[in-house]
Amino acid sequence: MVNCLPIVCSDACGIPEVITDGVHGLMFPARDTEALWARLSDALAHPAKMRTLAAQARKRIEDFSAERMVENYLTIFRELARPGKSTAQVTEAVPDLAAR
């Protein structure tokens, strides 16, 4: 993603939290080799589409940079330190958390 390469990945573990199928790359069900083949065939048949997905993936990975994560943690800690704040209110106050 950082290198702006097209992504074809499975839906295993936490990958769907980072990649949205058809937005940041192409996703297939884990261990489904036929679906993998179909996604790879689609990627090879549509290079322009894959360039677009790769560019979107490059933008998306910035949300997971060390700097962004530190900013998010500091925001959470500051919000939690404020008197009377509930966890739900903190989640709403941090845009990256509210989107998940």
Side-chain angles (χ1 to χ4, degrees):
M1 290 173 70
V2 171
N3 294 321
C4 206
L5 295 172
I7 304 297
V8 177
C9 59
S10 75
D11 61 0
C13 301
I15 294 172
E17 293 178 22
V18 179
I19 303 293
T20 301
D21 186 38
V23 177
H24 309 109
L26 300 178
M27 194 173 299
F28 62 93
R31 299 183 180 168
D32 185 340
T33 56
E34 289 182 23
L36 169 59
W37 177 251
R39 290 308 211 167
L40 290 172
S41 297
D42 187 35
L44 291 172
H46 302 96
K49 173 183 173 182
M50 294 310 294
R51 283 191 293 276
T52 300
L53 295 179
Q56 292 298 327
R58 175 68 179 103
K59 291 177 188 175
R60 175 73 171 135
I61 200 65
E62 292 172 7
D63 292 340
F64 295 91
S65 70
E67 294 83 11
R68 179 69 57 91
M69 287 196 275
V70 168
E71 289 173 20
N72 288 345
Y73 279 119
L74 289 174
T75 300
I76 292 167
F77 295 150
R78 285 187 197 110
E79 289 294 320
L80 286 171
R82 292 175 57 191
K85 281 287 188 172
S86 70
T87 304
Q89 290 170 319
V90 171
T91 301
E92 291 173 10
V94 181
D96 287 345
L97 293 177
R100 293 183 186 171

